[in-house]
Amino acid sequence: PSAGGKLLVVPMVGSHWLSMQEVVEKLSQRGHEVVVLMPEVSWQMEASQAYRVLTYPVTQTLEELDGSF
């Protein structure tokens, strides 16, 4: 058993988040209060009922982000 705690998650855009998302959701299910900090423009990062999402502004558009990769 574990006591629920607070967790702030600041994932990297892309595969790092895809790997972390399931873990973050499981932690939330186990009683942890999870806040995920995401950029306003990103790939494959989306909100969920399992955790709270806070966004921060970025200067790039999605098209510029696509173009840089």
Side-chain angles (χ1 to χ4, degrees):
S2 68
K6 294 183 179 186
L7 179 66
L8 175 64
V9 179
V10 185
M12 300 298 293
V13 174
S15 65
H16 293 91
W17 173 243
L18 296 176
S19 301
M20 291 177 62
Q21 186 174 12
E22 186 175 343
V23 173
V24 169
E25 289 176 357
K26 293 285 184 188
L27 287 168
S28 178
Q29 291 171 1
R30 293 182 180 198
H32 296 274
E33 182 181 329
V34 181
V35 175
V36 179
L37 187 60
M38 295 181 183
E40 288 177 333
V41 175
S42 65
W43 295 309
Q44 301 173 331
M45 295 177 76
E46 50 195 46
S48 167
Q49 295 293 330
Y51 47 83
R52 183 172 164 217
V53 173
L54 294 177
T55 60
Y56 60 90
V58 293
T59 58
Q60 286 184 313
T61 65
L62 188 56
E63 291 78 22
E64 291 171 332
L65 187 62
D66 286 343
S68 68
F69 285 92

